[in-house]
Amino acid sequence: MAQKPSIPKGTRDFSSVEVAKRNYIISIMRNHFEIFGYQPIETPSYENSDTLMGKYGDEGDRLIFKILNSGDYLDKVSYEELQTINYKKLTGKISEKALRYDLTVPFARYVVQHQSELEFPFKRYQIQPVWRADRPQKGRFREFFQCDADVVGSASLWQEVELVQLYDSVFASLGLQGVTIKINNRKILSGIAEVIGASDKLIDFTVALDKLDKIGEEGVKKEMLEKGITTTALEKVQSLFTFSGTLQEKLEKLSALLASSEEGMKGIEELSFICNNVLKLGLQQANLDLDVTLARGLNYYTGAIFEVAPPTSVSMGSIGGGGRYDDLTGIFGLPNMSGVGISFGLDRIYLVLEELNLFPQTVTTTTKVLFLYNDKDQAFEAMKTISFLRSQNIKAEMYPDGAKIEKQFKHAERKGIPFVVKEINNGIFVVKDLKLGEQMFLDIDHLITILK
């Protein structure tokens, strides 16, 4: 007996209904991206390994899917190297390519490679799948779409203001109320590490702090202590674990904590500009909040950091995130090219909309009318009419086989088709409304009217 087929953990098949709902979200995002002046690009699903490795920190590197070299992938490996099994050295010899982990690093590579063709500041959006060797769980997959919007070639903080507005516009169009756009600044985190005497452990500090909502205060402290951050240092930042108040109150508290750090005060200045202007301009539905524990454990953020939380009624992780990177393209030989960008978590947004029942019914509208198959002559007349209806942008089809009429009706019901044409007599269509159970006799003009 043949083994039942399956798919890898962390991946999914999508039904036609699910694809229609995903396309609905994507179409709204794409519309807003373009209204805000962002242009579409695409990059390959896999990159050279050296393009990706070392750009996401040790944790990120471990989650990158490596692709074995084609052919004899052990050809460059000696017998002695196989015996010692040095993971990092061996990986470099048997795998020269990897699936992209996100869209930002490939975008940086794209900018450097095509810099002579681009007009800066360059605003791009990209909607493509990415892959991460993460542990699958609710809302976390190994293959998922990212929907990114970035602008590179401008250090202006008005870009951050605009990106907050872009988040707000997309979620407002999706009808998603109660979303919170959290913001922080990497310079503030650097300033905190500086005032507690742990500047040399900035990455360890921020990676641990970023886990506060997952492992709690004690878990974060334990991880920091294991990384060599002292108890005295932790006492100095105790207030961060219970940070509260309005945006202005939080900024004032941070100013007092970071008064001795020039870097930290620069971060407060930048955050104040972004938050004050966003609030003056106003948001449609989203909330803006300063979250000082927001660190996002990626090495390339240098300024503002964003993360979007869904409504509190939904148990789900972040549905978006991003930040400012002052020199991401420098890793590819183009220094001093500042950029900032955000990402929308399509799959999680889908789950949130599904849980809150926010998808419009029209999103999954299938074929509007099914013509039943009675005999050859009727079939030809049906196909003539179907061709005309399709030219009017009406979804129509014919049951192709001469099955019993009851089976054809059940086919329409299972597919959710609302109307059935039972027969055609001298230009008059015998139509049944399957939802109301009513039968009608219509000419072509009236048939088009009810189908539209």
Side-chain angles (χ1 to χ4, degrees):
M1 183 176 179
Q3 184 177 354
K4 187 177 179 180
S6 62
I7 58 176
K9 289 182 179 179
T11 64
R12 297 151 296 164
D13 289 321
F14 295 99
S15 69
S16 57
V17 170
E18 290 168 325
V19 170
K21 289 179 176 180
R22 285 159 62 88
N23 287 343
Y24 162 74
I25 299 172
I26 289 172
S27 67
I28 286 178
M29 289 179 182
R30 182 177 285 115
N31 179 55
H32 284 284
F33 289 158
E34 295 182 357
I35 286 174
F36 276 69
Y38 292 80
Q39 300 174 351
I41 69 164
E42 291 189 356
T43 59
S45 57
Y46 59 92
E47 298 269 353
N48 292 324
S49 294
D50 56 10
T51 297
L52 303 178
M53 299 298 290
K55 312 304 189 299
Y56 307 100
D58 290 340
E59 286 196 12
D61 281 355
R62 284 194 291 271
L63 299 181
I64 292 175
F65 275 108
K66 287 80 175 177
I67 301 173
L68 286 175
N69 296 338
S70 56
D72 184 1
Y73 57 85
L74 291 174
D75 183 52
K76 298 178 182 178
V77 183
S78 67
Y79 177 77
E80 290 74 16
E81 287 173 317
L82 284 175
Q83 296 297 330
T84 56
I85 313 182
N86 184 307
Y87 163 74
K88 289 189 176 180
K89 287 185 178 179
L90 189 60
T91 300
K93 291 198 171 186
I94 67 175
S95 173
E96 297 170 356
K97 298 176 180 63
L99 293 177
R100 60 173 173 243
Y101 176 91
D102 73 353
L103 299 179
T104 306
V105 170
F107 171 55
R109 189 266 310 152
Y110 176 93
V111 169
V112 174
Q113 194 169 342
H114 299 275
Q115 57 186 286
S116 62
E117 307 158 27
L118 302 177
E119 175 62 30
F120 295 102
F122 176 58
K123 300 170 75 172
R124 85 82 167 88
Y125 75 87
Q126 197 170 346
I127 303 174
Q128 288 186 279
V130 299
W131 293 266
R132 296 182 186 179
D134 217 340
R135 183 171 64 87
Q137 53 187 289
K138 182 182 179 182
R140 187 185 295 272
F141 307 100
R142 288 177 171 172
E143 179 186 58
F144 57 96
F145 267 79
Q146 278 192 342
C147 310
D148 284 12
D150 287 76
V151 53
V152 66
S154 171
S156 171
L157 294 175
W158 285 110
Q159 306 293 354
E160 278 87 339
V161 173
E162 182 181 81
L163 288 171
V164 173
Q165 292 179 314
L166 177 56
Y167 264 141
D168 180 49
S169 297
V170 169
F171 290 125
S173 290
L174 290 171
L176 192 54
Q177 300 181 8
V179 165
T180 299
I181 303 170
K182 299 178 181 180
I183 187 171
N184 196 13
N185 193 294
R186 199 60 183 255
K187 294 182 178 71
I188 287 176
L189 294 168
S190 298
I192 294 171
E194 180 185 341
V195 299
I196 67 173
S199 293
D200 60 327
K201 299 186 181 300
L202 173 61
I203 298 300
D204 293 331
F205 175 78
T206 56
V207 167
L209 192 63
D210 198 35
K211 298 177 182 176
L212 183 62
D213 62 337
K214 301 182 184 72
I215 62 178
E217 179 180 339
E218 293 308 313
V220 170
K221 287 181 176 178
K222 182 181 179 214
E223 184 168 324
M224 287 183 176
L225 289 169
E226 289 172 352
K227 295 294 186 179
I229 297 171
T230 66
T231 304
T232 304
L234 293 182
E235 289 173 355
K236 292 180 180 179
V237 293
Q238 177 60 41
S239 61
L240 296 183
F241 297 108
T242 55
F243 210 62
S244 61
T246 64
L247 272 173
Q248 191 58 42
E249 288 169 347
K250 289 180 178 180
L251 287 168
E252 289 172 0
K253 290 178 183 178
L254 281 176
S255 295
L257 177 64
L258 300 175
S260 62
S261 170
E262 183 179 345
E263 178 85 349
M265 293 306 293
K266 177 65 175 173
I268 290 174
E269 180 185 335
E270 292 179 3
L271 265 191
S272 297
F273 179 91
I274 298 165
C275 294
N276 290 338
N277 281 294
V278 167
L279 295 179
K280 286 178 184 176
L281 290 166
L283 294 172
Q284 298 177 60
Q285 291 185 0
N287 305 304
L288 182 65
D289 188 33
L290 168 55
D291 183 353
V292 75
T293 68
L294 179 59
R296 298 188 64 85
L298 298 179
N299 289 345
Y300 51 69
Y301 290 134
T302 56
I305 309 167
F306 301 105
E307 191 163 280
V308 183
T312 54
S313 59
V314 179
S315 178
M316 180 72 67
S318 64
I319 56 176
R324 164 73 65 173
Y325 40 88
D326 281 339
D327 195 25
L328 183 62
T329 55
I331 57 180
F332 299 119
L334 183 60
N336 305 317
M337 181 68 75
S338 186
V340 60
I342 58 173
S343 180
F344 291 80
L346 173 64
D347 296 296
R348 289 188 177 184
I349 292 170
Y350 179 105
L351 293 173
V352 171
L353 295 182
E354 188 89 319
E355 186 169 332
L356 297 177
N357 196 30
L358 292 176
F359 283 109
Q361 287 187 334
T362 54
V363 168
T364 56
T365 298
T366 181
T367 298
K368 290 297 292 287
V369 59
L370 177 73
F371 285 70
L372 303 187
Y373 187 102
N374 290 310
D375 55 52
K376 293 180 180 179
D377 292 336
Q378 286 274 303
F380 181 79
E381 287 300 313
M383 287 304 295
K384 276 177 59 179
T385 306
I386 287 169
S387 297
F388 178 69
L389 292 176
R390 288 170 177 167
S391 73
Q392 303 299 305
N393 203 31
I394 294 172
K395 299 174 184 176
E397 60 180 290
M398 181 180 72
Y399 194 89
D401 304 314
K404 292 182 178 179
I405 296 300
E406 292 80 4
K407 182 177 179 180
Q408 297 184 49
F409 267 108
K410 286 181 179 179
H411 177 75
E413 289 171 354
R414 282 194 293 265
K415 290 188 67 174
I417 299 173
F419 296 98
V420 163
V421 173
K422 297 168 65 177
E423 57 182 299
I424 308 170
N425 292 318
N426 298 319
I428 299 298
F429 300 87
V430 182
V431 182
K432 185 163 186 180
D433 183 330
L434 296 185
K435 290 183 179 179
L436 300 178
E438 297 177 353
Q439 185 162 291
M440 300 167 282
F441 297 86
L442 306 171
D443 60 22
I444 187 65
D445 291 334
H446 286 93
L447 176 63
I448 290 173
T449 299
I450 69 163
L451 293 179
K452 280 192 170 181

